[in-house]
Amino acid sequence: MAEEYDVKTGQLVSRKWREKNTLGGSGKWQVEVGEPTSPLLGALELELIKESSSNPVFMRKDTLSSFQWRIRNLPYPKEVYSVSVEKEQRCCVIRTTNKKYYKKFSIPDLDRYQLPLDAAALSFTHANNTLIITYQKPKEILAAEEQLQKELKKIKAANNGDGDCKTQ
């Protein structure tokens, strides 16, 4: 796992996980929080087919007090959306009444702490073709993040290439 925090605010910018593949090598990074990674512009193979830029883009961006997901490129009014909690499957579900968009997603942080999902903590809003879903963080996670922030203050931030690179 790799996490990136904003040095000034202490806010989580990105969290990525990488597991070993079937042959034991390093697999691809799975983005949990932050912008999804885009393929490099200088890729070896030329992409002849690529997805439309108007497709919905699902990403997570946390705040200090809540988990937040943003889905860009959803042009429908707020009344069309329905966001609910599936307690048996431990996930949240986004539906539209016009059947144009459907998405199930879990909250890995709650799974790690084995906490139940609370429908009262879930809310959503829509602005500028973006659906913003907010789930208020439970007290247990807020306390754990406060402990983590104390630990991170003890660690010196990594330099952005300012240090000397010593080679053999």
Side-chain angles (χ1 to χ4, degrees):
M1 177 184 68
E3 290 183 326
E4 182 180 339
Y5 289 89
D6 187 329
V7 176
K8 293 177 184 164
T9 64
Q11 196 169 0
L12 180 65
V13 176
S14 72
R15 178 183 296 140
K16 301 174 187 179
W17 294 85
R18 183 161 64 176
E19 296 179 358
K20 294 192 181 291
N21 60 19
T22 53
L23 298 175
S26 296
K28 292 185 179 181
W29 286 100
Q30 300 295 320
V31 178
E32 184 178 308
V33 178
E35 288 280 338
T37 55
S38 59
L40 297 173
L41 295 174
L44 293 176
E45 68 273 354
L46 179 65
E47 290 188 37
L48 298 175
I49 299 175
K50 79 178 211 180
E51 65 185 51
S52 172
S53 61
S54 64
N55 280 355
V57 177
F58 183 83
M59 65 170 279
R60 179 172 154 187
K61 183 178 182 352
D62 291 355
T63 64
L64 293 175
S65 63
S66 63
F67 303 118
Q68 195 175 79
W69 295 266
R70 294 172 179 256
I71 309 169
R72 293 189 299 238
N73 298 330
L74 287 179
Y76 316 111
K78 182 179 178 180
E79 299 79 34
V80 171
Y81 301 100
S82 162
V83 180
S84 60
V85 170
E86 297 276 336
K87 291 191 177 186
E88 303 82 35
Q89 298 178 356
R90 295 191 50 79
C91 65
C92 299
V93 179
I94 305 165
R95 294 180 176 91
T96 56
T97 54
N98 60 7
K99 309 235 188 269
K100 297 286 185 182
Y101 188 79
Y102 179 87
K103 176 84 174 168
K104 276 185 173 181
F105 63 95
S106 64
I107 306 175
D109 300 68
L110 293 180
D111 294 340
R112 276 185 222 111
Y113 288 95
Q114 298 174 351
L115 297 171
L117 277 95
D118 181 18
L122 191 66
S123 63
F124 71 97
T125 186
H126 186 269
N128 302 324
N129 283 351
T130 302
L131 183 68
I132 302 169
I133 299 128
T134 305
Y135 188 93
Q136 295 301 319
K137 292 181 182 177
K139 291 178 280 187
E140 295 88 349
I141 291 182
L142 289 172
E145 286 182 353
E146 189 175 322
Q147 282 294 110
L148 181 64
Q149 287 300 321
K150 288 179 184 176
E151 291 293 322
L152 288 175
K153 286 183 181 176
K154 296 176 188 174
I155 299 171
K156 185 181 174 191
N159 293 338
N160 293 333
D162 293 339
D164 294 336
C165 182
K166 296 179 178 156
T167 59
Q168 293 180 346

